[in-house]
Amino acid sequence: MNSVSVITGGAGGMGLATAKIVGKERPIVLCDVRRDRLDTAAATLAELGVSVTAVHCDVTDRPAVTALFDTASALGSIASVIHTAGVSPSMGTADYVMRTNAIGTLNVNEVFFDVAGEGAAIVNVASMAAYLLPDEFVPAKGFPQALVDADAFLADMLAACAIAPEEARSGLAYAISKNFVRWYSAAQSERFNGRGLRIVSMSPGSTDTEMGRLEEQAGAGALVTDAAVPRWGTAEEMAELLAFCASARAGYLTGTDILNDGGVVASMRERARLAAETN
């Protein structure tokens, strides 16, 4: 039986770049909530010789995610899922950001867990922002609630965002939701391994995509300037790492997050350490 890879957020810069790499090895099931851009992305892949099936899907809708995996399973065994679907603070309200990034991740991963066979891997896209939010603002004790009552979890996460002024809540929701992605990808690794599955997350830094550039004036541009590698990352650089993490070559890699941020977090921490020594 053939094997397939599912890529969510496939119409985005990072998702499409990853599909171009993974599509050299196996058929791709490309998913996105934006139907017109999904069709364009699928046409681009087809022109490159990739066998691609486009599925219009909102990852916040669990039945729609189940249908996505039904389509993939009908084409072959699921080898990997690269979950790039997500939104940034400039794209909507705190509720929209939290629902898309956290509930969307929960839905995709839980359905993957239910249907994937031994040896399959899922890679979730978190964010550098998860490393920059102080621990006291991360409601980590409420994260396990997602596995029991997703609605209560969402309400608790939004309550945690309410400490910020209205204009800052989407940004806080983004950082909290990406902390959740990192937590889930680590906390569920033993459960996933019980079914022979791997689960990993990758935290990109400021990336030169349409979504990434939306945040340029909201702080991402300054972070790029102060990075150890003072430039924007490319979608292709992120895609190479995502594809590797999902491949059999990374068969020992699970339950961890890989920070791919051009040294932003490392530089900030070292500057903070030096500043503390001089005060």
Side-chain angles (χ1 to χ4, degrees):
M1 189 177 189
N2 292 330
S3 63
V4 300
S5 289
V6 177
I7 299 181
T8 71
M14 205 178 300
L16 180 56
T18 306
K20 290 177 181 178
I21 298 169
V22 179
K24 295 176 183 178
E25 299 180 356
R26 62 177 58 88
I28 298 294
V29 177
L30 202 69
C31 143
D32 205 281
V33 71
R34 302 165 295 181
R35 190 184 299 273
D36 56 337
R37 298 186 62 170
L38 173 63
D39 292 341
T40 299
T44 298
L45 291 173
E47 289 175 0
L48 295 173
V50 175
S51 176
V52 56
T53 300
V55 178
H56 179 245
C57 174
D58 180 351
V59 296
T60 68
D61 180 349
R62 179 69 71 93
V65 173
T66 299
L68 166 67
F69 278 89
D70 286 344
T71 297
S73 296
L75 296 172
S77 61
I78 296 173
S80 61
V81 176
I82 299 97
H83 176 48
T84 77
V87 295
S88 67
S90 297
M91 297 173 71
T93 65
D95 178 87
Y96 176 65
V97 171
M98 188 67 69
R99 192 179 299 273
T100 303
N101 294 349
I103 300 299
T105 294
L106 181 71
N107 287 343
V108 171
N109 281 261
E110 288 299 314
V111 176
F112 166 79
F113 178 83
D114 288 341
V115 304
E118 184 174 354
I122 186 165
V123 185
N124 298 305
V125 174
S127 171
M128 170 182 70
Y131 288 80
L132 300 179
L133 186 65
D135 289 345
E136 58 265 31
F137 294 108
V138 181
K141 289 183 178 180
F143 287 172
Q145 178 77 352
L147 295 162
V148 180
D149 187 335
D151 291 336
F153 161 76
L154 182 62
D156 288 347
M157 295 302 105
L158 293 176
C161 296
I163 65 168
E166 185 69 37
E167 64 273 15
R169 289 179 188 174
S170 291
L172 183 54
Y174 180 78
I176 290 174
S177 68
K178 293 304 187 177
N179 266 284
F180 172 77
V181 174
R182 284 183 60 208
W183 171 85
Y184 181 95
S185 301
Q188 304 311 306
S189 59
E190 187 171 357
R191 178 167 71 102
F192 275 51
N193 185 64
R195 295 204 54 235
L197 308 173
R198 290 191 301 110
I199 177 172
V200 180
S201 62
M202 189 273 278
S203 288
S206 299
T207 307
D208 193 7
T209 61
E210 181 181 353
M211 190 174 85
R213 288 289 182 174
L214 282 175
E215 307 305 319
E216 185 169 6
Q217 301 306 316
L223 290 175
V224 168
T225 301
D226 289 338
V229 181
R231 65 169 175 82
W232 290 73
T234 69
E236 291 73 22
E237 287 170 322
M238 302 303 163
E240 289 286 357
L241 182 54
L242 290 169
F244 170 75
C245 290
S247 74
R249 300 187 301 279
Y252 195 57
L253 185 68
T254 195
T256 193
D257 181 78
I258 301 175
L259 177 61
N260 192 18
D261 69 337
V264 169
V265 172
S267 296
M268 291 180 68
R269 288 176 176 171
E270 179 61 10
R271 290 192 183 105
R273 184 188 69 80
L274 292 173
E277 286 184 352
T278 59
N279 290 334

